């Protein structure tokens, strides 16, 4: 009974935020659609900014409910058995298109349930929505490599993930991502670049003392660790 109450409260709050966001979005659209003076336009922009914040907050609440399940209770459940996560993942993606985890997790769940095309499309959409996410470029590269047998596309996405401008949650996530990229590059014959990536992994390992816990998954199902 207590579990139901703990789950219902955040979901009810999210539902309230959604109603407020949708009502406010419609009002904001009317403000912008009607010719107005500079003051009204400024109010419209401020309203839309505020509503964007509400949507992102609602998305964060939803994700914070399922993330512990993904990495805890359901950690050893194969992705093809986690279809129940898709509706929530889709909602979080809609609420906050700038958040990378729904694209990352959702694309693999879709692919492992036979919807490879939809999974690849979601992964590609993630790299377009959040082009600075190293994780999304790495994951898309791996999907192209494993599911589409597209070596050229995988190498291209891997190289994008290695760009200095890419953002990673922390060095541990970066190490895990780089490890995946290194293996793909070696299998694609990009030995020199793979050696460079391996050297960077060693440097990062040394910088953190190799004491931080890693978050490694085997999405490709071949026994090769990936992020």
């Amino acid at each position: 009974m207590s579990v139901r109450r703990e789950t219902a409260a955040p979901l009810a709050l999210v539902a309230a935020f959604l109603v407020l966001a949708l009502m406010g979005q419609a009002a904001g659209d009317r403000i912008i659609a009607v010719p107005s003076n500079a003051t009204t336009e400024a109010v419209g922009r401020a309203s839309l900014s505020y509503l964007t914040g509400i949507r992102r907050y609602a998305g964060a609440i939803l994700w914070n409910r399922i993330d512990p399940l993904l990495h805890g209770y359901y950690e050893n459940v194969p992705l093809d058995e986690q279809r129940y996560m898709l509706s929530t993942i889709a909602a979080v993606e809609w609420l906050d298109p700038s958040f990378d985890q729904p694209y990352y997790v959702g694309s693999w769940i879709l692919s492992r349930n036979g919807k490879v095309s939809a999974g690849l499309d979601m992964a590609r959409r993630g790299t377009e929505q959040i082009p600075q996410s190293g994780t999304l470029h790495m994951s898309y590269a791996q999907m192209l490599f494993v599911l589409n047998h597209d070596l050229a596309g995988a190498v291209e996405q891997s190289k994008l993930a290695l760009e200095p401008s890419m953002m990673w949650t922390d060095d541990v996530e970066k190490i895990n991502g780089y490890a995946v990229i290194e293996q793909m590059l070696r299998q694609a014959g990009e030995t020199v670049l793979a050696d460079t990536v391996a050297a960077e992994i060693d440097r990062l390992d040394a910088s953190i003392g190799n004491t931080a816990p890693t978050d490694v998954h085997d999405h490709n199902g071949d026994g090769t660790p990936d992020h």
Side-chain angles (χ1 to χ4, degrees):
M1 183 68 73
S2 61
V3 173
R4 290 181 180 175
R5 285 199 298 270
E6 289 173 2
T7 303
L11 292 180
L13 184 58
V14 168
F17 280 145
L18 284 176
V19 172
L20 178 59
L22 290 172
M23 292 174 60
Q25 184 75 54
D29 290 343
R30 287 197 298 271
I31 289 174
I32 290 178
V34 178
S36 57
N37 58 33
T39 300
T40 304
E41 291 175 354
V43 170
R45 288 193 297 270
S47 298
L48 291 179
S49 177
Y50 175 71
L51 292 169
T52 298
I54 290 178
R55 284 177 56 169
R56 287 180 175 175
Y57 183 57
I61 291 176
L62 276 179
W63 188 258
N64 286 339
R65 297 301 300 175
I66 68 172
D67 189 55
L69 296 177
L70 286 168
H71 293 88
Y73 189 77
Y74 295 118
E75 184 175 11
N76 296 317
V77 177
L79 284 175
D80 57 1
E81 296 178 16
Q82 295 193 32
R83 292 182 297 275
Y84 44 79
M85 295 289 188
L86 286 174
S87 58
T88 304
I89 287 171
V92 176
E93 179 191 350
W94 178 80
L95 287 164
D96 187 1
S98 66
F99 182 40
D100 63 355
Q101 289 302 303
Y103 297 103
Y104 172 51
V105 177
S107 61
W108 281 106
I109 293 178
L110 285 169
S111 298
R112 288 306 174 199
N113 276 278
K115 300 183 181 298
V116 174
S117 179
L120 286 167
D121 183 64
M122 187 174 190
R124 175 193 53 77
R125 191 165 66 249
T127 62
E128 293 172 352
Q129 288 284 348
I130 318 169
Q132 74 279 13
S133 171
T135 290
L136 291 185
H137 285 290
M138 175 277 298
S139 183
Y140 187 29
Q142 189 182 27
M143 294 183 77
L144 289 171
F145 185 86
V146 174
L147 304 175
N148 223 31
H149 309 293
D150 181 0
L151 274 178
V155 169
E156 178 185 1
Q157 290 296 318
S158 293
K159 289 180 177 179
L160 286 173
L162 296 174
E163 290 287 332
S165 59
M166 287 297 121
M167 299 180 65
W168 303 82
T169 302
D170 51 34
D171 283 346
V172 173
E173 181 184 71
K174 191 173 185 178
I175 288 170
N176 289 333
Y178 272 33
V180 176
I181 291 169
E182 181 199 351
Q183 293 305 311
M184 285 190 291
L185 290 174
R186 291 197 186 284
Q187 293 184 55
E190 297 277 350
T191 308
V192 174
L193 183 54
D195 288 342
T196 301
V197 174
E200 177 63 10
I201 292 173
D202 289 341
R203 187 193 69 80
L204 290 169
D205 263 334
S207 71
I208 64 175
N210 203 22
T211 58
T214 57
D215 182 16
V216 177
H217 304 285
D218 181 19
H219 290 314
N220 55 25
D222 66 357
T224 302
D226 57 54
H227 179 73

